[in-house]
Amino acid sequence: MDALSACPGVSLREATQRKLRRFSELRGKPVAAGEFWDIVAITAADEKQELAYKQQLSEKLKKKELPLGVQYHVFVDPAGAKIGGYSQRLPNASALGKIFTALPFGNPIYQMLELKLAMYIDFPSHMNPGILVTCADDIELYSIGESEFIRFDKPGFTALAHPSSLTIGTTHGVFVLEPFNCLEHRDLEYRCCHRFLHKPSMEKMHQCNAVFRPGNVSQQDFAGGDTTSLILDHEYVYTDSLFYMDHKSARKLLAFYEKIGTLNCEIDAYGDFLQALGPGATVEYIRNTSNVTKEESELVDMRQRIFDLLKGTSLNVVVLNNSKFYHIGTTEEYLFHFTSDNSLKSELGLQSIAFSIFPAIPKWSGNTSCIIHSILDSRCSVSPGSVVEYSRLGPDVSVGENCIISGSYVTTTAVLPAYSFVCSLSLKMNGHLKYSTMAFGVQDTLKKNVKTLSDIKSLQFFGVCFLSCLDIWNLQVTEELFSGNKTYLSLWNARIFPVCSSLSDSVTTSLKMLNAVQNKSKFSLNNYKLLSIEEMLVYKDVEDMITYREQIFLEIEEKTA
């Protein structure tokens, strides 16, 4: 094995570009047995999301954006407790899914699905029968010796591990590794995990001997990914990303699921599976519900049963000392990585203008805007730090700093205030095509909820008390203001977004309500049919949204041919 790379940034970029080239060669071509995955499975939260995923997969295969001869499946969660979600922290991915998030490179544009498949391109040919589990909103980049491959050939579970700061460790899984004799770190190390900690405190990491201190490793920049390569003068831990389970372990879990029937609580594939593994695993985590989205009465009992099922199963760890882990699951992470993060730009070859029509973007001290699969008039302006995707913007549109514009069409004079989030959806309501545009602040917390109407004053919309916003829009505080579960009142299920007959009217109207809040001027929503984001996702017309993207695609292709 090679010692830790002398130029980690360069080797990481080269290794990443090699994987992308190899995947590009497979796009639209039949793959040989053992060359690629047998099955690619995507989980959906409900039947609407399942349909959206299937339609997008069908389009990708038709346009030869994916390797052929592979089984691509979408599996929908049964009714009740969910393992899938609705991307509430990155709502431009809510309608069509995080795994279909557009990335600013490639022709045709890469989405997260293609990037995942590209980054794992070497795995299948060095893997025993089993299942690889990964998330839709993270990117793992790594570099190892040219003659080396990551092998998934040990019994039990095998996980990738990345060196990270202790702060990052508090929001991820952390491996407590068994002692290791090697005197110097290598890019690739195979280790055994004594115990897995899920989002531990710094104190817990120290108590459990999960913390490593600087040793014989090369100095590397700590400004890169959310996790990064080892550094010389900081304590660090090894955090998780994806994991693999061998065929025997997968069969064991399947038999367990078939035996219990319907799941009535949320089981986390990371926290609830991995914490049961390794010789040092204990049951103390089963009563800890601090990281649970929704507490159910059966959770503790189910965790105990999973612990008993998996106890004694080994957790093997592939330590990647020259690796980075990027999370792109929130609006702020999305904006940072696409506009300001020069490390990821360099490693993946991200572009400021990706498959779009727009004049060159001037650089502002390294921070630029990012235009993806869009058509922008040369006279419109987009400020640094903003992302525009799948949109058309006319000549009199001015986009402020740190905005996200998705699926929109703006032809009139419009000013989008800094930190605006604007995302348009096509809807099918009573057989008619309609449109609605969600608009709020990129820093708003859509998931924050209160239990009673009297408490909604603690919710904020674009940094303003939500009660004040309702007054500006001339809306009454009643139970009818919220959709769905009336004990979870939030911006997510607040009926405040107008339904319109055209896409451009929809964007214009929602921008008026946004500007009214910013300017503290009245704009009545009384005469509009109003929906919550929750309801928009129920009514979404996936086919029309895909058609709109395709129209933009064809126009760009024609004008750039």
Side-chain angles (χ1 to χ4, degrees):
M1 282 193 261
D2 296 339
L4 209 63
S5 307
C7 301
V10 174
S11 63
L12 204 56
R13 182 169 63 251
E14 288 174 350
T16 301
Q17 292 303 317
R18 181 194 65 76
K19 295 182 187 83
L20 287 170
R21 284 193 300 271
R22 186 159 173 238
F23 178 75
S24 185
E25 289 165 5
L26 295 181
R27 289 179 101 179
K29 294 173 186 164
V31 290
E35 184 182 19
F36 198 65
W37 303 98
D38 300 313
I39 296 171
V40 174
I42 302 172
T43 58
D46 57 33
E47 289 179 359
K48 272 276 188 180
Q49 202 175 68
E50 177 193 27
L51 177 64
Y53 289 5
K54 283 182 173 177
Q55 285 177 286
Q56 289 174 96
L57 278 172
S58 176
E59 284 293 314
K60 282 184 175 298
L61 290 166
K62 196 162 63 180
K63 292 165 77 173
K64 300 190 172 180
E65 294 176 9
L66 295 171
L68 307 179
V70 180
Q71 293 184 55
Y72 295 95
H73 290 291
V74 180
F75 293 103
V76 64
D77 281 1
K82 298 296 177 191
I83 57 170
Y86 296 98
S87 310
Q88 289 172 284
R89 296 186 300 165
L90 188 64
N92 53 314
S94 296
L96 299 180
K98 277 185 186 175
I99 196 65
F100 297 102
T101 300
L103 300 167
F105 75 99
N107 184 4
I109 286 292
Y110 269 62
Q111 293 180 327
M112 281 298 288
L113 176 60
E114 291 95 284
L115 181 60
K116 288 273 174 187
L117 295 174
M119 292 303 99
Y120 309 155
I121 196 79
D122 298 327
F123 292 176
S125 54
H126 300 88
M127 179 181 284
N128 285 357
I131 297 172
L132 190 82
V133 178
T134 186
C135 297
D137 58 4
D138 59 39
I139 300 169
E140 305 94 353
L141 306 181
Y142 67 90
S143 173
I144 55 178
E146 282 187 27
S147 59
E148 292 183 312
F149 295 96
I150 295 175
R151 299 190 310 274
F152 298 89
D153 56 3
K154 293 184 173 65
F157 285 63
T158 300
L160 300 192
H162 312 271
S164 312
S165 69
L166 273 64
T167 303
I168 292 294
T170 61
T171 58
H172 288 74
V174 172
F175 300 102
V176 180
L177 300 179
E178 297 281 8
F180 191 55
N181 304 343
C182 188
L183 294 176
E184 69 172 8
H185 284 288
R186 309 273 178 166
D187 283 349
L188 172 64
E189 297 171 3
Y190 290 97
R191 306 280 296 270
C192 294
C193 183
H194 180 71
R195 183 181 177 190
F196 178 83
L197 308 174
H198 187 56
K199 300 183 180 179
S201 65
M202 291 192 189
E203 183 185 15
K204 184 76 172 175
M205 289 182 240
H206 279 286
Q207 277 176 0
C208 296
N209 295 320
V211 179
F212 291 80
R213 284 157 190 84
N216 184 21
V217 294
S218 57
Q219 177 72 45
Q220 297 177 15
D221 181 15
F222 207 30
D226 301 333
T227 76
T228 186
S229 308
L230 288 181
I231 54 166
L232 192 64
D233 53 355
H234 292 77
E235 291 185 324
Y236 61 94
V237 291
Y238 284 108
T239 55
D240 65 340
S241 57
L242 60 84
F243 70 86
Y244 156 91
M245 64 179 90
D246 69 350
H247 184 71
K248 182 181 176 183
S249 301
R251 293 292 306 179
K252 185 188 286 188
L253 282 166
L254 179 60
F256 174 74
Y257 176 71
E258 288 172 341
K259 181 181 174 184
I260 61 170
T262 306
L263 267 176
N264 294 314
C265 56
E266 179 187 327
I267 294 300
D268 177 9
Y270 286 81
D272 294 327
F273 290 174
L274 301 189
Q275 284 187 103
L277 307 176
T282 72
V283 294
E284 67 180 71
Y285 74 89
I286 67 171
R287 295 186 181 278
N288 179 2
T289 56
S290 59
N291 295 313
V292 176
T293 312
K294 186 180 174 186
E295 288 187 40
E296 287 97 353
S297 56
E298 295 181 27
L299 181 61
V300 172
D301 176 61
M302 187 55 63
R303 280 180 168 177
Q304 179 69 59
R305 292 172 69 180
I306 291 171
F307 178 84
D308 294 338
L309 179 77
L310 296 177
K311 188 171 174 16
T313 305
S314 59
L315 177 54
N316 310 290
V317 176
V318 180
V319 171
L320 297 169
N321 282 314
N322 187 14
S323 67
K324 288 184 184 175
F325 173 98
Y326 295 91
H327 191 254
I328 308 187
T330 69
T331 52
E332 289 175 317
E333 289 169 342
Y334 176 85
L335 287 171
F336 171 70
H337 289 310
F338 284 8
T339 67
S340 311
D341 183 358
N342 289 325
S343 296
L344 185 61
K345 277 187 187 179
S346 168
E347 289 147 7
L348 273 182
L350 302 185
Q351 301 163 325
S352 295
I353 303 175
F355 194 72
S356 295
I357 296 174
F358 191 50
I361 298 172
K363 286 209 171 189
W364 300 67
S365 63
N367 188 8
T368 67
S369 53
C370 179
I371 316 298
I372 309 169
H373 195 120
S374 295
I375 300 174
L376 279 63
D377 189 279
S378 60
R379 291 162 291 176
C380 93
S381 72
V382 180
S383 298
S386 291
V387 176
V388 179
E389 64 163 10
Y390 299 118
S391 295
R392 293 175 184 265
L393 303 184
D396 302 313
V397 178
S398 174
V399 178
E401 293 185 354
N402 302 302
C403 294
I404 296 174
I405 318 296
S406 179
S408 298
Y409 182 33
V410 191
T411 53
T412 57
T413 300
V415 176
L416 282 77
Y419 296 93
S420 299
F421 180 98
V422 177
C423 176
S424 305
L425 269 62
S426 306
L427 311 173
K428 186 62 68 74
M429 302 181 73
N430 299 319
H432 298 287
L433 181 59
K434 300 288 183 182
Y435 300 89
S436 190
T437 297
M438 57 182 96
F440 44 87
V442 293
Q443 295 170 324
D444 290 347
T445 309
L446 303 188
K447 289 175 94 166
K448 182 180 177 181
N449 64 79
V450 295
K451 306 243 182 268
T452 64
L453 290 174
S454 59
D455 289 330
I456 66 170
K457 59 182 178 291
S458 66
L459 299 177
Q460 289 207 324
F461 178 95
F462 217 104
V464 175
C465 169
F466 190 48
L467 267 181
S468 303
C469 298
L470 295 175
D471 183 54
I472 286 169
W473 301 324
N474 198 24
L475 296 178
Q476 301 301 310
V477 180
T478 67
E479 282 207 347
E480 285 306 301
L481 182 65
F482 295 90
S483 63
N485 189 336
K486 307 295 185 186
T487 59
Y488 289 90
L489 311 178
S490 66
L491 294 183
W492 183 259
N493 65 347
R495 289 183 170 127
I496 56 174
F497 299 111
V499 176
C500 297
S501 296
S502 76
L503 179 55
S504 56
D505 283 351
S506 162
V507 182
T508 303
T509 308
S510 290
L511 284 178
K512 283 178 182 175
M513 62 179 281
L514 199 63
N515 283 305
V517 169
Q518 199 191 37
N519 301 327
K520 295 183 171 52
S521 57
K522 294 281 185 182
F523 178 68
S524 178
L525 292 176
N526 266 342
N527 296 328
Y528 293 94
K529 163 78 175 169
L530 301 175
L531 295 180
S532 65
I533 301 174
E534 181 180 60
E535 288 174 315
M536 282 189 214
L537 297 181
V538 172
Y539 290 117
K540 69 187 175 193
D541 186 333
V542 174
E543 204 168 323
D544 190 69
M545 285 187 276
I546 291 174
T547 299
Y548 178 59
R549 291 181 176 189
E550 181 64 14
Q551 288 167 350
I552 294 174
F553 175 90
L554 292 173
E555 191 172 330
I556 293 170
E557 203 172 49
E558 183 186 331
K559 289 183 177 177
T560 55

